[in-house]
Amino acid sequence: MAKDKLAAPVVKWVGGKRQLLDEITPRLPKRITTYCEPFLGGGAVLFSLQPKNAIVNDLNADLMLVYEVIRDDVELLIAALEQHENTAEYFYKIRDLDRDKEAYRKMSSVERASRIIYLNKTCYNGLFRVNASGEFNSPFGHYKNPNIVNAPVLRSVNKYLTANNIQLFHMDFEEVLRRVPKGGFVYLDPPYDPVSDTASFTGYNRGGFGREEQERLKRCCDALAARGVRFLLSNSATQFIRELYTGYTVEIVHAKRAINSDASKRGAVEEVLIRNYGIE
């Protein structure tokens, strides 16, 4: 089946892989029976590859709800998105809906998914960020014409999710990796190891993703390799990461990062692609 070029990320996400697709794509296995992505985010690699069988997951419950609603109620979602306004007053009203936990729980799945997409399209730099209480706290972006309702892309993603065997999960990455059968392929895009003491790309979820989590992920990669599952992992090219994955193929590539509070620091940065298989 030909790929649908309109099936593409519907949200902008920290560490999104659109800029790295030219490096990732040639390194993917030629034949993939079961695809798994435990840190889905915006799903750039998933929608570029469009596998027929996939296990996809993210710890961010709001994000996975967006994908479920796109799959199950795309027309209702489009209609809900069309009701939003691009003003600061309206933005903060919608943003603060999650401050009242009981009222937020009573919102329908479509209403919550619509809110997340709206905030993502209109907040500053498209940065999904939550505070210690799990409340969305990115400020208004002041964009003139944000693309809040991208109906063709939403419908194409709906078609992809419904026409194929795509399993959506919201759980810990270690748990979802246990579901990958022998012979499967996993693309891992975890929150990156910070390149400095002040850098952090882990704010999209409460709890963060520190060195202990990076080490736990490495043990999971060892377990995948031991049972015949291929993996490709992206991360920052820190000494810690390169040493952690000694014994695997570690290649340095350059990616353009657009999310940084200092515009002068947005640009090409060194990252690593780590794999346990040879390129066919």
Side-chain angles (χ1 to χ4, degrees):
M1 185 182 296
K3 294 180 184 178
D4 184 346
K5 292 182 180 179
L6 284 176
V10 297
V11 292
K12 185 178 181 181
W13 213 249
V14 174
K17 287 298 168 287
R18 280 178 166 177
Q19 300 291 343
L20 204 59
L21 281 176
D22 287 346
E23 296 285 359
I24 291 172
T25 302
R27 292 173 170 85
L28 295 173
K30 295 294 184 289
R31 185 172 180 272
I32 297 173
T33 53
T34 300
Y35 176 86
C36 176
E37 193 167 346
F39 305 94
L40 184 59
V45 176
L46 173 73
F47 295 124
S48 174
L49 189 60
Q50 294 181 28
K52 296 183 186 305
N53 300 293
I55 301 167
V56 295
N57 174 79
D58 201 282
L59 196 58
N60 189 304
D62 288 323
L63 176 65
M64 294 313 297
L65 176 69
V66 167
Y67 291 119
E68 290 172 4
V69 170
I70 292 172
R71 179 192 64 193
D72 300 336
D73 293 298
V74 70
E75 295 304 326
L76 288 177
L77 175 61
I78 290 169
L81 286 169
E82 290 171 344
Q83 305 303 310
H84 290 301
E85 303 169 13
N86 184 36
T87 66
E89 181 182 8
Y90 179 82
F91 173 88
Y92 287 111
K93 174 186 172 184
I94 297 300
R95 192 193 76 166
D96 291 350
L97 287 173
D98 62 3
R99 272 60 174 173
D100 185 335
K101 305 304 181 190
E102 185 176 348
Y104 186 69
R105 279 195 295 269
K106 290 180 180 177
M107 290 173 63
S108 71
S109 296
V110 171
E111 289 171 333
R112 281 184 283 157
S114 170
R115 171 182 174 270
I116 292 299
I117 294 176
Y118 165 74
L119 293 176
N120 182 263
K121 299 293 186 181
T122 56
C123 75
Y124 177 72
N125 221 4
L127 178 59
F128 187 105
R129 188 182 65 195
V130 296
N131 59 24
S133 299
E135 299 163 347
F136 195 101
N137 67 348
S138 295
F140 185 55
H142 294 281
Y143 301 116
K144 286 186 178 180
N145 295 298
N147 190 11
I148 298 170
V149 191
N150 195 337
V153 168
L154 288 168
R155 290 187 177 112
S156 290
V157 171
N158 162 266
K159 183 178 178 182
Y160 169 66
L161 293 176
T162 54
N164 296 283
N165 178 29
I166 313 301
Q167 301 177 62
L168 304 178
F169 293 103
H170 158 54
M171 59 178 64
D172 180 75
F173 67 85
E174 187 169 357
E175 189 175 348
V176 82
L177 287 174
R178 295 194 188 104
R179 298 172 179 266
V180 184
K182 180 179 179 179
F185 170 74
V186 180
Y187 172 61
L188 299 147
D189 183 28
Y192 278 17
D193 185 45
V195 295
S196 68
D197 291 339
T198 56
S200 176
F201 288 87
T202 62
Y204 72 95
N205 261 324
R206 287 175 289 173
F209 201 91
R211 292 278 169 96
E212 289 185 1
E213 289 294 273
Q214 298 286 0
E215 290 168 347
R216 183 163 71 97
L217 178 57
K218 162 59 164 55
R219 292 193 293 272
C220 287
C221 288
D222 292 340
L224 289 173
R227 69 172 203 263
V229 175
R230 293 167 293 180
F231 72 82
L232 176 68
L233 179 143
S234 306
N235 213 315
S236 50
T238 60
Q239 184 177 356
F240 169 75
I241 292 297
R242 285 181 288 173
E243 291 179 354
L244 185 62
Y245 285 90
T246 298
Y248 293 109
T249 300
V250 179
E251 298 175 285
I252 293 179
V253 296
H254 292 87
K256 184 178 179 182
R257 277 217 184 116
I259 294 179
N260 195 304
S261 58
D262 183 348
S264 67
K265 294 180 180 178
R266 298 174 195 165
V269 294
E270 285 193 344
E271 301 189 5
V272 289
L273 288 175
I274 301 165
R275 53 189 165 86
N276 68 330
Y277 58 91
I279 296 176
E280 299 164 4

